[in-house]
Amino acid sequence: MTTTRFPVLVTGGAGYIGSHAVLALLDAGWPVVVLDNLVTGFRWAVDGRAVFVEGDVGDAAVVGHTLAEHDIGAIMHFAGSVVVPESVENPLKYYGNNTANSRTLIEAAVAGGVRHFIFSSTAATYGIPEESPVREATPTRPINPYGMSKLMTEIMLKDTAAAHPINYCALRYFNVAGADPQGRAGQATAGATHLIKVAGEAATGKRSHVSVFGTDYDTPDGTGVRDYIHVSDLAAAHLLALEALIADPRKSHTLNCGYGRGFSVLEVLDAVEKAAGRPIERRLEPRRAGDPDSLVAANDAIVAAFGWQPRHADLDTIVAHALAWERGLEERRQPA
């Protein structure tokens, strides 16, 4: 482990995954500056040990000033739009927020002498893969603007690293879920679409039911299978990525983040019901376009590259942490 502890800029650090990365950095002794426009993030979600700057990653002046003022040495980039159906309805929003704004941020990093860049990418870059588990060499064929907007940023990073003294790690997330085990952070976004979050809302009376989209998939119980990764394990992977980029400034990485094991929609709902001690109404709906039967990560590459050792790779643990967060969320929303 490196002893260097220069300031790290976390874009989107007031959001779900970004706030967990902020906690992981702070707990490990890194100075942190959060840049967030609070469109989907929450000011209360930013740990008080971090410096907070309200602003947009697409604002070159704000980004440049922040990098210089705080002597930023690395960037973790989480800011962006993440709802797949919305990306189909409003593609230009996604190419603006995700691709164009990332270009502005990367350009500012190069101009400001930032040497390391960690990017929040997605398994949506693969589209509907022909193999499972999905490997990093699996062809990237996004089927929606969200996945394409992220893949375009990966390409920009690759080309920029070839031309400038900066290296990067693009982490392709599978299905992120759960909450900080200590209850310090969790998912608070309104209108969330992720299954465990939705099921947690149903289990706590915030939703009347959970829709099950498709029961005729080629899976053991007919519902879609996904690889659910605990958000704190994902945050830990970002720290390991930072250490690796510092250790070898000439090397960049593009890696999957998942456990290599999937659970079906019905298995997840069973786990939430078990944890909550109450039934959840399930409404069967038609399949959604573009949903593969199974989407599971091959994670041997990240384990080999970083020595990543997940601590919460258990569905019941993920569900328990998510449910505990959900039960206390309204209190957390209230100003102190």
Side-chain angles (χ1 to χ4, degrees):
M1 299 288 286
T2 180
T3 56
T4 306
R5 290 291 184 269
F6 47 70
V8 177
L9 177 68
V10 179
T11 72
Y16 174 40
I17 302 174
S19 63
H20 286 82
V22 168
L23 289 172
L25 285 162
L26 292 169
D27 290 349
W30 292 89
V32 175
V33 178
V34 170
L35 176 64
D36 200 299
N37 61 13
L38 300 181
V39 170
T40 57
F42 302 91
R43 179 66 182 88
W44 55 260
V46 180
D47 188 281
R49 294 171 290 173
V51 174
F52 178 73
V53 177
E54 185 172 351
D56 197 285
V57 295
D59 188 328
V62 169
V63 173
H65 176 76
T66 302
L67 296 179
E69 180 181 5
H70 299 284
D71 195 22
I72 299 296
I75 294 171
M76 289 190 182
H77 180 32
F78 299 92
S81 301
V82 299
V83 181
V84 170
E86 183 189 41
S87 79
V88 177
E89 297 167 1
N90 191 355
L92 293 178
K93 173 181 177 179
Y94 279 68
Y95 291 124
N97 286 350
N98 293 356
T99 309
N101 284 358
S102 292
R103 181 206 169 276
T104 298
L105 181 64
I106 295 167
E107 183 176 45
V110 170
V114 177
R115 305 300 291 269
H116 314 294
F117 197 108
I118 299 169
F119 175 53
S120 169
S121 193
T122 171
T125 56
Y126 295 113
I128 303 179
E130 297 178 357
E131 61 180 353
S132 184
V134 183
R135 301 193 171 276
E136 287 82 358
T138 298
T140 47
R141 298 168 181 159
I143 62 169
N144 50 62
Y146 168 64
M148 183 61 77
S149 71
K150 292 285 193 172
L151 181 60
M152 291 168 74
T153 301
E154 287 189 15
I155 294 169
M156 287 192 292
L157 284 168
K158 181 180 178 181
D159 291 343
T160 301
H164 299 281
I166 188 171
N167 65 344
Y168 70 92
C169 180
L171 295 175
R172 292 173 176 164
Y173 309 163
F174 281 65
N175 286 55
V176 187
D180 174 58
Q182 299 178 46
R184 298 174 296 173
Q187 190 169 8
T189 311
T193 58
H194 290 206
L195 177 60
I196 291 178
K197 170 69 172 177
V198 168
E201 290 179 343
T204 53
K206 300 173 187 177
R207 289 180 186 247
S208 61
H209 68 280
V210 174
S211 295
V212 178
F213 296 102
T215 57
D216 59 345
Y217 287 101
D218 184 16
T219 61
D221 65 18
T223 62
V225 170
R226 298 292 181 267
D227 190 333
Y228 295 92
I229 176 174
H230 194 293
V231 64
S232 293
D233 282 338
L234 181 60
H238 285 74
L239 259 68
L240 293 172
L242 178 58
E243 297 282 354
L245 294 180
I246 295 168
D248 188 350
R250 298 166 298 177
K251 187 173 179 59
S252 294
H253 308 264
T254 299
L255 297 166
N256 290 336
C257 284
Y259 291 148
R261 180 188 174 188
F263 292 94
S264 73
V265 173
L266 297 185
E267 287 176 317
V268 169
L269 294 180
D270 287 346
V272 175
E273 287 184 344
K274 175 184 172 183
R278 58 169 289 185
I280 296 171
E281 181 181 343
R282 309 172 186 195
R283 294 187 186 174
L284 304 184
E285 308 279 357
R287 287 192 188 203
R288 294 176 298 192
D291 277 353
D293 296 344
S294 177
L295 191 62
V296 176
N299 68 3
D300 49 311
I302 191 170
V303 171
F306 299 161
W308 182 55
Q309 296 181 324
R311 298 177 57 195
H312 310 292
D314 174 78
L315 180 61
D316 289 337
T317 299
I318 293 171
V319 165
H321 291 162
L323 201 55
W325 170 262
E326 197 64 47
R327 284 172 169 151
L329 181 55
E330 291 310 313
E331 294 179 9
R332 295 182 180 91
R333 290 181 188 273
Q334 301 303 318

